[in-house]
Amino acid sequence: GAGVSQSPSNKVTEKGKDVELRCDPISGHTALYWYRQSLGQGLEFLIYFQGNSAPDKSGLPSDRFSAERTGGSVSTLTIQRTQQEDSAVYLCASKAGRRSYEQYFGPGTRLTVT
Amino acid sequence: AQKVTQAQTEISVVEKEDVTLDCVYETRDTTYYLFWYKQPPSGELVFLIRRNSFDEQNEISGRYSWNFQKSTSSFNFTITASQVVDSAVYFCALSEINTNAGKSTFGDGTTLTVKP
């Protein structure tokens, strides 16, 4: 498809387990973002990748959170030792490049930690 | 630090009414972008509009219009003759221009419900 895709769409996990969330950006887009959206809240920036530059990790809430982007395309957000407060919708967005500002969002992954 | 405030948490209107969604922002930057996104019940955010801080001309697109007032740091969004399909959460966002990230700060959103 032409848009940003994310998988899984829903994930239920037990407290303490690790989870991996995947994002496939729009082909050719060099910039990729991860956001977290808690119930009834706005989007909280987590991490940003731009080309081969070092990622901006300033939004990651703790060292349990990490992300990587392989080959400048697919990205994986990993949450280790999940906590109940990690329950949220995790959104991925991509944009064409450093000088573009329109972000295209994926449908999100709804994470529930029980 | 940047901040975007959408004071209206929820708005409910009847179809065909006009509705305005408020957005007030704070930034130390003199140049920046402002955005509105729509998040329908399906969950996927959809880009609606981007505005440069140095262009205060208001914009109209069909039933949508945007009023940018730099003097009051506001970027309000009006839907004319609302329809049920307009029901969604609407987010206002602010993005720096002179950074490498173009990182956006989002408001908490306004949930609009349009009743038939």
CSV table of all heavy atoms in Angstrom, one decimal, chain A residues 4 33 35 37 40-43 45 48 56 58 91 95 98 101-103 105-107, chain B residues 33 35 37 39 43-45 47 50 91 95-97 100-104 106-108:
chain,number,residue,atom,x,y,z
A,4,VAL,N,1.5,4.6,5.5
A,4,VAL,CA,2.3,4.1,6.6
A,4,VAL,C,1.5,2.9,7.2
A,4,VAL,O,0.3,3.0,7.5
A,4,VAL,CB,2.5,5.1,7.7
A,4,VAL,CG1,3.3,4.5,8.8
A,4,VAL,CG2,3.3,6.3,7.0
A,33,TYR,N,8.9,9.0,12.7
A,33,TYR,CA,8.6,9.4,14.1
A,33,TYR,C,7.8,8.3,14.8
A,33,TYR,O,7.0,7.6,14.1
A,33,TYR,CB,7.7,10.7,14.1
A,33,TYR,CG,8.3,11.9,13.5
A,33,TYR,CD1,8.3,12.1,12.1
A,33,TYR,CD2,8.8,12.9,14.3
A,33,TYR,CE1,8.8,13.3,11.6
A,33,TYR,CE2,9.3,14.1,13.8
A,33,TYR,CZ,9.3,14.3,12.4
A,33,TYR,OH,9.8,15.4,11.9
A,35,TYR,N,5.2,8.2,18.1
A,35,TYR,CA,4.5,9.0,19.1
A,35,TYR,C,3.7,8.0,20.0
A,35,TYR,O,3.4,6.9,19.6
A,35,TYR,CB,3.5,9.9,18.5
A,35,TYR,CG,4.1,11.0,17.7
A,35,TYR,CD1,4.3,10.9,16.3
A,35,TYR,CD2,4.3,12.3,18.3
A,35,TYR,CE1,4.8,11.9,15.6
A,35,TYR,CE2,4.8,13.3,17.5
A,35,TYR,CZ,5.0,13.2,16.2
A,35,TYR,OH,5.5,14.2,15.4
A,37,GLN,N,0.1,7.9,22.2
A,37,GLN,CA,-1.1,8.6,22.5
A,37,GLN,C,-1.9,7.8,23.6
A,37,GLN,O,-2.4,6.8,23.4
A,37,GLN,CB,-2.0,8.7,21.3
A,37,GLN,CG,-3.3,9.5,21.5
A,37,GLN,CD,-4.1,9.6,20.2
A,37,GLN,OE1,-4.0,8.8,19.3
A,37,GLN,NE2,-4.9,10.7,20.1
A,40,GLY,N,-7.4,9.7,25.6
A,40,GLY,CA,-7.9,11.1,25.8
A,40,GLY,C,-6.8,12.2,25.8
A,40,GLY,O,-7.1,13.3,26.2
A,41,GLN,N,-5.6,11.8,25.4
A,41,GLN,CA,-4.5,12.7,25.5
A,41,GLN,C,-4.0,13.0,24.0
A,41,GLN,O,-4.4,12.3,23.1
A,41,GLN,CB,-3.3,12.1,26.3
A,41,GLN,CG,-3.7,11.8,27.7
A,41,GLN,CD,-4.0,13.0,28.5
A,41,GLN,OE1,-3.3,14.1,28.4
A,41,GLN,NE2,-5.1,13.0,29.2
A,42,GLY,N,-3.2,14.0,24.0
A,42,GLY,CA,-2.6,14.3,22.7
A,42,GLY,C,-1.4,13.4,22.4
A,42,GLY,O,-1.2,12.4,23.0
A,43,LEU,N,-0.7,13.7,21.4
A,43,LEU,CA,0.4,12.9,20.9
A,43,LEU,C,1.7,13.3,21.7
A,43,LEU,O,2.1,14.4,21.7
A,43,LEU,CB,0.7,13.0,19.4
A,43,LEU,CG,-0.2,12.1,18.6
A,43,LEU,CD1,-1.7,12.6,18.6
A,43,LEU,CD2,0.3,12.1,17.1
A,45,PHE,N,5.6,12.9,21.7
A,45,PHE,CA,6.8,12.5,20.9
A,45,PHE,C,7.7,11.5,21.6
A,45,PHE,O,8.0,11.7,22.8
A,45,PHE,CB,7.6,13.8,20.5
A,45,PHE,CG,8.9,13.5,19.9
A,45,PHE,CD1,9.0,13.2,18.6
A,45,PHE,CD2,10.1,13.6,20.7
A,45,PHE,CE1,10.3,12.9,18.0
A,45,PHE,CE2,11.3,13.4,20.1
A,45,PHE,CZ,11.4,13.0,18.8
A,48,TYR,N,12.7,10.2,16.8
A,48,TYR,CA,12.7,10.7,15.5
A,48,TYR,C,14.0,10.1,14.8
A,48,TYR,O,15.1,10.3,15.3
A,48,TYR,CB,12.7,12.2,15.5
A,48,TYR,CG,13.1,12.8,14.2
A,48,TYR,CD1,12.3,12.8,13.1
A,48,TYR,CD2,14.3,13.5,14.1
A,48,TYR,CE1,12.6,13.5,11.9
A,48,TYR,CE2,14.7,14.2,12.9
A,48,TYR,CZ,13.8,14.1,11.8
A,48,TYR,OH,14.2,14.8,10.6
A,56,ASP,N,16.9,11.3,17.2
A,56,ASP,CA,16.6,12.1,18.4
A,56,ASP,C,15.8,11.3,19.3
A,56,ASP,O,14.6,11.1,19.1
A,56,ASP,CB,15.8,13.3,17.8
A,56,ASP,CG,15.4,14.3,18.9
A,56,ASP,OD1,15.5,13.9,20.1
A,56,ASP,OD2,14.9,15.4,18.6
A,58,SER,N,15.0,12.1,22.4
A,58,SER,CA,14.7,13.0,23.6
A,58,SER,C,13.4,12.7,24.2
A,58,SER,O,13.1,13.1,25.4
A,58,SER,CB,14.9,14.4,23.2
A,58,SER,OG,13.9,14.8,22.2
A,91,LEU,N,1.8,5.5,17.7
A,91,LEU,CA,1.7,5.9,16.4
A,91,LEU,C,3.0,6.1,15.7
A,91,LEU,O,3.9,6.7,16.3
A,91,LEU,CB,0.9,7.2,16.3
A,91,LEU,CG,-0.6,7.1,16.7
A,91,LEU,CD1,-1.2,8.5,17.0
A,91,LEU,CD2,-1.4,6.4,15.7
A,95,LYS,N,7.8,11.3,7.0
A,95,LYS,CA,7.7,12.4,6.1
A,95,LYS,C,8.8,12.3,5.1
A,95,LYS,O,9.8,11.6,5.3
A,95,LYS,CB,7.7,13.7,6.8
A,95,LYS,CG,8.9,14.1,7.6
A,95,LYS,CD,8.7,15.5,8.3
A,95,LYS,CE,9.9,15.8,9.2
A,95,LYS,NZ,10.9,16.5,8.4
A,98,ARG,N,14.0,16.1,5.4
A,98,ARG,CA,14.3,17.0,6.5
A,98,ARG,C,13.5,18.3,6.3
A,98,ARG,O,13.0,19.0,7.2
A,98,ARG,CB,15.7,17.3,6.5
A,98,ARG,CG,16.2,18.1,7.7
A,98,ARG,CD,17.7,18.5,7.5
A,98,ARG,NE,18.5,17.3,7.4
A,98,ARG,CZ,19.0,16.6,8.4
A,98,ARG,NH1,18.7,16.9,9.6
A,98,ARG,NH2,19.7,15.5,8.2
A,101,TYR,N,7.4,19.1,6.1
A,101,TYR,CA,6.8,19.2,7.4
A,101,TYR,C,5.5,18.4,7.6
A,101,TYR,O,5.0,18.3,8.7
A,101,TYR,CB,6.6,20.6,7.8
A,101,TYR,CG,7.9,21.3,8.1
A,101,TYR,CD1,8.7,21.8,7.2
A,101,TYR,CD2,8.4,21.2,9.4
A,101,TYR,CE1,9.9,22.4,7.4
A,101,TYR,CE2,9.7,21.7,9.7
A,101,TYR,CZ,10.4,22.3,8.7
A,101,TYR,OH,11.6,22.9,9.0
A,102,GLU,N,5.0,17.9,6.5
A,102,GLU,CA,3.7,17.1,6.6
A,102,GLU,C,4.0,15.7,7.0
A,102,GLU,O,4.7,15.0,6.2
A,102,GLU,CB,3.0,17.2,5.3
A,102,GLU,CG,1.6,16.4,5.3
A,102,GLU,CD,0.9,16.5,4.0
A,102,GLU,OE1,1.1,17.5,3.3
A,102,GLU,OE2,0.1,15.6,3.7
A,103,GLN,N,3.5,15.3,8.1
A,103,GLN,CA,3.7,13.9,8.5
A,103,GLN,C,2.5,13.1,8.1
A,103,GLN,O,1.4,13.5,8.3
A,103,GLN,CB,3.9,13.9,10.1
A,103,GLN,CG,5.1,14.6,10.5
A,103,GLN,CD,5.3,14.6,12.0
A,103,GLN,OE1,5.0,13.6,12.7
A,103,GLN,NE2,5.8,15.7,12.6
A,105,PHE,N,0.6,9.6,9.0
A,105,PHE,CA,0.5,8.7,10.1
A,105,PHE,C,0.0,7.4,9.7
A,105,PHE,O,-0.8,7.2,8.8
A,105,PHE,CB,-0.4,9.3,11.2
A,105,PHE,CG,0.2,10.5,12.0
A,105,PHE,CD1,0.2,11.7,11.5
A,105,PHE,CD2,0.7,10.2,13.2
A,105,PHE,CE1,0.8,12.8,12.2
A,105,PHE,CE2,1.3,11.2,14.0
A,105,PHE,CZ,1.4,12.5,13.5
A,106,GLY,N,0.5,6.4,10.5
A,106,GLY,CA,-0.1,5.0,10.4
A,106,GLY,C,-1.3,4.9,11.3
A,106,GLY,O,-1.6,5.8,12.0
A,107,PRO,N,-1.9,3.7,11.2
A,107,PRO,CA,-3.1,3.5,12.0
A,107,PRO,C,-2.9,3.3,13.5
A,107,PRO,O,-3.8,3.3,14.3
A,107,PRO,CB,-3.8,2.3,11.4
A,107,PRO,CG,-2.6,1.6,10.8
A,107,PRO,CD,-1.6,2.6,10.3
B,33,TYR,N,5.7,26.5,12.0
B,33,TYR,CA,4.5,26.0,11.3
B,33,TYR,C,3.4,25.6,12.3
B,33,TYR,O,3.7,25.1,13.4
B,33,TYR,CB,4.9,24.8,10.4
B,33,TYR,CG,5.7,25.0,9.2
B,33,TYR,CD1,6.9,24.5,9.0
B,33,TYR,CD2,5.1,25.8,8.1
B,33,TYR,CE1,7.7,24.7,7.9
B,33,TYR,CE2,5.8,26.0,7.0
B,33,TYR,CZ,7.1,25.5,6.9
B,33,TYR,OH,7.8,25.7,5.7
B,35,PHE,N,-0.3,23.3,12.4
B,35,PHE,CA,-1.0,22.3,11.6
B,35,PHE,C,-2.4,22.0,12.3
B,35,PHE,O,-2.5,22.2,13.5
B,35,PHE,CB,-0.2,21.0,11.7
B,35,PHE,CG,1.2,21.0,11.1
B,35,PHE,CD1,2.2,21.5,11.9
B,35,PHE,CD2,1.4,20.6,9.9
B,35,PHE,CE1,3.5,21.5,11.4
B,35,PHE,CE2,2.7,20.6,9.4
B,35,PHE,CZ,3.8,21.1,10.2
B,37,TYR,N,-4.8,18.4,12.4
B,37,TYR,CA,-5.0,17.0,11.9
B,37,TYR,C,-6.3,16.6,12.4
B,37,TYR,O,-6.8,17.0,13.5
B,37,TYR,CB,-3.9,16.1,12.6
B,37,TYR,CG,-2.5,16.2,12.0
B,37,TYR,CD1,-1.6,17.2,12.5
B,37,TYR,CD2,-2.1,15.4,11.0
B,37,TYR,CE1,-0.4,17.3,12.0
B,37,TYR,CE2,-0.8,15.5,10.5
B,37,TYR,CZ,0.1,16.4,11.0
B,37,TYR,OH,1.3,16.5,10.5
B,39,GLN,N,-8.5,13.1,13.4
B,39,GLN,CA,-8.4,11.7,13.8
B,39,GLN,C,-9.8,11.1,13.9
B,39,GLN,O,-10.5,11.2,14.9
B,39,GLN,CB,-7.6,11.5,15.1
B,39,GLN,CG,-7.3,10.0,15.4
B,39,GLN,CD,-6.5,9.9,16.7
B,39,GLN,OE1,-6.7,10.6,17.6
B,39,GLN,NE2,-5.6,8.9,16.7
B,43,GLY,N,-9.1,5.9,13.7
B,43,GLY,CA,-7.8,6.1,14.4
B,43,GLY,C,-6.7,6.7,13.7
B,43,GLY,O,-5.7,7.2,14.3
B,44,GLU,N,-6.7,6.8,12.4
B,44,GLU,CA,-5.6,7.3,11.6
B,44,GLU,C,-5.6,8.8,11.4
B,44,GLU,O,-6.6,9.3,10.9
B,44,GLU,CB,-5.5,6.6,10.2
B,44,GLU,CG,-4.2,6.7,9.5
B,44,GLU,CD,-4.1,5.6,8.4
B,44,GLU,OE1,-4.7,4.6,8.6
B,44,GLU,OE2,-3.4,5.9,7.4
B,45,LEU,N,-4.6,9.5,11.9
B,45,LEU,CA,-4.6,10.9,11.8
B,45,LEU,C,-4.4,11.3,10.3
B,45,LEU,O,-3.6,10.8,9.6
B,45,LEU,CB,-3.4,11.5,12.6
B,45,LEU,CG,-3.6,11.8,14.0
B,45,LEU,CD1,-3.3,10.6,14.8
B,45,LEU,CD2,-2.8,13.0,14.5
B,47,PHE,N,-3.8,14.7,7.8
B,47,PHE,CA,-3.4,16.0,7.8
B,47,PHE,C,-4.4,16.9,7.1
B,47,PHE,O,-5.0,16.5,6.1
B,47,PHE,CB,-2.1,16.1,6.9
B,47,PHE,CG,-1.6,17.4,6.5
B,47,PHE,CD1,-0.9,18.2,7.3
B,47,PHE,CD2,-2.0,17.9,5.2
B,47,PHE,CE1,-0.5,19.5,6.9
B,47,PHE,CE2,-1.5,19.1,4.8
B,47,PHE,CZ,-0.8,19.9,5.6
B,50,ARG,N,-1.4,23.1,6.8
B,50,ARG,CA,-0.2,23.6,7.4
B,50,ARG,C,-0.1,25.1,7.1
B,50,ARG,O,-0.5,25.6,6.0
B,50,ARG,CB,1.0,23.0,6.8
B,50,ARG,CG,2.3,23.4,7.4
B,50,ARG,CD,3.5,23.0,6.5
B,50,ARG,NE,3.7,23.7,5.3
B,50,ARG,CZ,4.4,23.3,4.3
B,50,ARG,NH1,5.1,22.2,4.3
B,50,ARG,NH2,4.6,24.1,3.2
B,91,PHE,N,-6.7,17.7,16.2
B,91,PHE,CA,-5.5,18.1,16.9
B,91,PHE,C,-4.8,19.3,16.2
B,91,PHE,O,-4.7,19.3,15.0
B,91,PHE,CB,-4.4,17.0,16.9
B,91,PHE,CG,-4.8,15.8,17.8
B,91,PHE,CD1,-5.4,14.7,17.2
B,91,PHE,CD2,-4.6,15.8,19.1
B,91,PHE,CE1,-5.8,13.6,18.0
B,91,PHE,CE2,-4.9,14.7,19.9
B,91,PHE,CZ,-5.5,13.7,19.4
B,95,SER,N,5.2,23.3,14.9
B,95,SER,CA,6.5,22.7,14.5
B,95,SER,C,7.5,23.8,14.3
B,95,SER,O,7.2,24.8,13.7
B,95,SER,CB,6.3,21.9,13.3
B,95,SER,OG,7.6,21.3,12.9
B,96,GLU,N,8.7,23.6,14.9
B,96,GLU,CA,9.8,24.5,14.6
B,96,GLU,C,10.2,24.4,13.2
B,96,GLU,O,10.0,23.4,12.5
B,96,GLU,CB,10.9,24.2,15.5
B,96,GLU,CG,10.6,24.2,17.0
B,96,GLU,CD,11.7,23.4,17.8
B,96,GLU,OE1,12.5,22.7,17.2
B,96,GLU,OE2,11.7,23.6,19.0
B,97,ILE,N,10.7,25.5,12.7
B,97,ILE,CA,11.2,25.5,11.3
B,97,ILE,C,12.7,25.3,11.3
B,97,ILE,O,13.3,24.5,10.5
B,97,ILE,CB,10.8,26.8,10.5
B,97,ILE,CG1,9.3,26.8,10.3
B,97,ILE,CG2,11.6,26.9,9.2
B,97,ILE,CD1,8.9,28.1,9.5
B,100,ASN,N,16.6,20.5,12.9
B,100,ASN,CA,16.7,19.4,12.0
B,100,ASN,C,15.6,18.4,12.1
B,100,ASN,O,15.5,17.6,11.2
B,100,ASN,CB,18.0,18.7,12.4
B,100,ASN,CG,19.3,19.5,12.1
B,100,ASN,OD1,19.3,20.2,11.1
B,100,ASN,ND2,20.3,19.4,12.9
B,101,ALA,N,14.8,18.6,13.1
B,101,ALA,CA,13.7,17.5,13.3
B,101,ALA,C,12.4,17.9,12.7
B,101,ALA,O,11.6,17.1,12.3
B,101,ALA,CB,13.6,17.2,14.7
B,102,GLY,N,12.1,19.2,12.7
B,102,GLY,CA,10.7,19.6,12.4
B,102,GLY,C,9.8,18.9,13.4
B,102,GLY,O,8.7,18.5,13.0
B,103,LYS,N,10.2,18.8,14.6
B,103,LYS,CA,9.5,18.1,15.6
B,103,LYS,C,8.2,18.9,15.9
B,103,LYS,O,8.2,20.1,16.1
B,103,LYS,CB,10.3,17.9,16.9
B,103,LYS,CG,10.0,16.8,17.8
B,103,LYS,CD,11.2,16.4,18.7
B,103,LYS,CE,11.7,17.6,19.5
B,103,LYS,NZ,12.8,17.1,20.4
B,104,SER,N,7.1,18.2,16.0
B,104,SER,CA,5.8,18.8,16.3
B,104,SER,C,5.4,18.6,17.7
B,104,SER,O,5.5,17.5,18.3
B,104,SER,CB,4.7,18.3,15.3
B,104,SER,OG,5.0,18.6,14.0
B,106,PHE,N,2.0,18.6,19.9
B,106,PHE,CA,0.5,18.5,19.7
B,106,PHE,C,-0.2,19.0,20.9
B,106,PHE,O,0.2,18.8,22.0
B,106,PHE,CB,0.2,17.1,19.4
B,106,PHE,CG,0.5,16.6,18.0
B,106,PHE,CD1,1.8,16.3,17.7
B,106,PHE,CD2,-0.4,16.5,17.0
B,106,PHE,CE1,2.2,15.8,16.4
B,106,PHE,CE2,-0.1,16.0,15.7
B,106,PHE,CZ,1.2,15.7,15.4
B,107,GLY,N,-1.4,19.5,20.6
B,107,GLY,CA,-2.4,19.8,21.7
B,107,GLY,C,-3.0,18.5,22.1
B,107,GLY,O,-2.8,17.4,21.5
B,108,ASP,N,-3.9,18.5,23.1
B,108,ASP,CA,-4.5,17.3,23.6
B,108,ASP,C,-5.7,16.9,22.8
B,108,ASP,O,-6.3,15.9,23.0
B,108,ASP,CB,-4.9,17.5,25.1
B,108,ASP,CG,-3.7,17.4,26.0
B,108,ASP,OD1,-2.7,16.9,25.6
B,108,ASP,OD2,-3.9,17.9,27.2
